[in-house]
Amino acid sequence: MKTIKLGNSQMNVSATALGIMRMVRLDPKEATNVLENVHDKGINFIDSADIYGNGDSERIFGKAFKKSSLKRDDFFIQSKGGIVLDPKKSSGELVFGQRYDFSKQHLIETVDKILQRMQIDYLDSFLLHRPDPLMEPSEVADTFDELQASGKVRHFGVSNFNPMQVEMLQSELNQKLMINQLQFGVMHTGPIQFGLHTNMQDDASINRDGEIIEYSRLHNMTIQAWSPYQYGLFAGTFIDNPKFPELNNKLQELADKYGVTKNAIATAWILRHPAKMQVILGSMNPKHLDESIAGTDITLTNQEWYDVYFAAGNDLP
């Protein structure tokens, strides 16, 4: 398994991580098998969020982890918080936010509940799930200090923040934000697309993300790519999707060359970027996970990387 340095630390973590949003679909025995399988394949990073499965994903993880042969230090365990669910819209796996809440009381209660559900004593990292326009950076700073001093959280980060939001929060913190979790993949290329179209006036040149990749590289923040095989927000996967014949033909061509599957090539495409991103794998299917993990052993050539980019419908000026 390829590894990367996490943030500005000296910690080595696996280039792919297991995201447990869909663990709500499994019983504890099935979940135990998933955890042991990915650990055997070299994954040492778990990503969660308090809202996944209305908390049930973390409850199942806790039961599965306890049943497994794994030790606490076998995994770097991360969760996210700050979204308040809308009970009228959220049920089962699908969850919808009613608002964001970065108040000290809410965040501390969130971490306490995460630890209880996951049956662990501490989180290796805790991320603010999405930007809250009502955020008071000084209050978040006080919260992070308390969580760290109590031993409940060791490191901190954000998810879906733009550079100025990171800067504003970082200006008050005593801890270095290590992670920004962003949607990125073959069919979600906005953060690099606008840079390629610098000094142009087409739609691809619109800067929607504030140079987030360049900012993250300059500040040693690890980008974690969520929904790496999705197109749109939650529209579905592009793998084997008849809507994207050119892309799937190119992925298959490269998969045949390297003796892997399309998922592996889509993983390798993200990891080829010099930002040294980490790919969040959300499947609970051991076979699909194995296929995606295989992408960590492949280094695409520059031309192959661009060929996939073109096949996804992008162009160069």
Side-chain angles (χ1 to χ4, degrees):
M1 167 66 70
K2 178 181 179 181
T3 61
I4 60 169
K5 285 278 193 294
L6 188 65
N8 65 332
S9 76
Q10 295 304 307
M11 291 182 289
N12 287 307
V13 296
S14 51
T16 56
L18 179 68
I20 66 167
M21 182 175 74
R22 296 180 179 88
M23 194 164 275
V24 67
R25 300 175 179 177
L26 308 183
D27 62 37
K29 182 178 179 181
E30 293 170 327
T32 299
N33 291 337
V34 169
L35 293 177
E36 293 186 334
N37 177 66
V38 297
H39 181 261
D40 289 344
K41 294 294 183 180
I43 287 182
N44 65 358
F45 200 108
I46 300 294
D47 173 69
S48 183
D50 65 327
I51 64 171
Y52 290 166
N54 275 318
D56 285 337
S57 290
E58 292 186 335
R59 289 189 187 92
I60 292 170
F61 171 88
K63 293 176 182 178
F65 192 52
K66 199 155 191 173
K67 283 170 61 71
S68 75
S69 60
L70 300 165
K71 303 184 296 293
R72 176 62 184 87
D73 58 4
D74 285 333
F75 284 125
F76 186 106
I77 300 178
Q78 167 180 289
S79 192
K80 303 179 289 290
I83 297 177
V84 178
L85 295 181
D86 185 344
K88 296 178 182 177
K89 297 180 180 178
S90 300
S91 61
E93 183 182 325
L94 295 175
V95 292
F96 299 90
Q98 184 177 33
R99 62 185 173 90
Y100 305 128
D101 187 350
F102 287 0
S103 68
K104 182 176 181 179
Q105 179 181 350
H106 178 75
L107 293 179
I108 288 178
E109 287 178 355
T110 294
V111 170
D112 285 341
K113 291 176 182 177
I114 290 170
L115 296 177
Q116 183 179 27
R117 287 192 295 267
M118 300 185 88
Q119 300 187 47
I120 55 178
D121 296 327
Y122 66 93
L123 287 171
D124 290 287
S125 61
F126 177 66
L127 312 188
L128 300 177
H129 205 159
R130 280 190 175 273
D132 178 8
L134 302 181
M135 172 181 69
E136 292 285 359
S138 59
E139 184 176 7
V140 174
D142 187 39
T143 304
F144 284 6
D145 285 346
E146 185 169 321
L147 287 169
Q148 191 173 61
S150 68
K152 294 176 182 177
V153 179
R154 295 186 173 180
H155 306 284
F156 298 91
V158 294
S159 181
N160 307 297
F161 275 48
N162 67 40
M164 288 307 295
Q165 291 166 334
V166 174
E167 282 284 300
M168 181 174 68
L169 178 57
Q170 186 67 73
S171 69
E172 295 283 345
L173 296 178
N174 292 311
Q175 303 82 10
K176 180 78 168 65
L177 293 169
M178 296 176 60
I179 296 160
N180 196 354
Q181 195 170 113
L182 306 165
Q183 187 174 12
F184 184 76
V186 172
M187 288 298 296
H188 196 94
T189 58
I192 55 174
Q193 191 173 315
F194 90 92
L196 288 166
H197 286 251
T198 294
N199 201 34
M200 305 294 290
Q201 295 183 340
D202 55 355
D203 184 64
S205 70
I206 297 174
N207 181 354
R208 296 179 171 88
D209 306 292
E211 299 92 21
I212 188 59
I213 291 181
E214 293 80 2
Y215 175 90
S216 299
R217 294 179 71 183
L218 285 169
H219 292 81
N220 294 316
M221 290 185 73
T222 295
I223 292 174
Q224 295 176 332
W226 59 268
S227 291
Y229 315 122
Q230 299 282 319
Y231 69 98
L233 184 59
F234 292 112
T237 178
F238 57 79
I239 303 290
D240 293 328
N241 191 321
K243 293 181 179 179
F244 309 105
E246 185 178 353
L247 174 58
N248 276 281
N249 287 340
K250 177 55 64 176
L251 292 173
Q252 189 62 60
E253 176 188 323
L254 292 171
D256 291 342
K257 173 185 174 179
Y258 288 101
V260 292
T261 63
K262 297 176 186 178
N263 282 64
I265 299 301
T267 302
W269 188 87
I270 297 172
L271 296 178
R272 178 62 184 82
H273 194 282
K276 296 180 174 58
M277 301 180 193
Q278 186 182 43
V279 181
I280 306 294
L281 306 178
S283 177
M284 292 291 111
N285 182 312
K287 179 175 180 292
H288 292 165
L289 286 167
D290 290 350
E291 291 173 350
S292 298
I293 290 168
T296 65
D297 296 324
I298 295 167
T299 301
L300 298 177
T301 68
N302 288 18
Q303 189 60 62
E304 288 168 346
W305 187 91
Y306 273 101
D307 288 346
V308 172
Y309 182 74
F310 293 142
N314 299 304
D315 62 5
L316 297 180

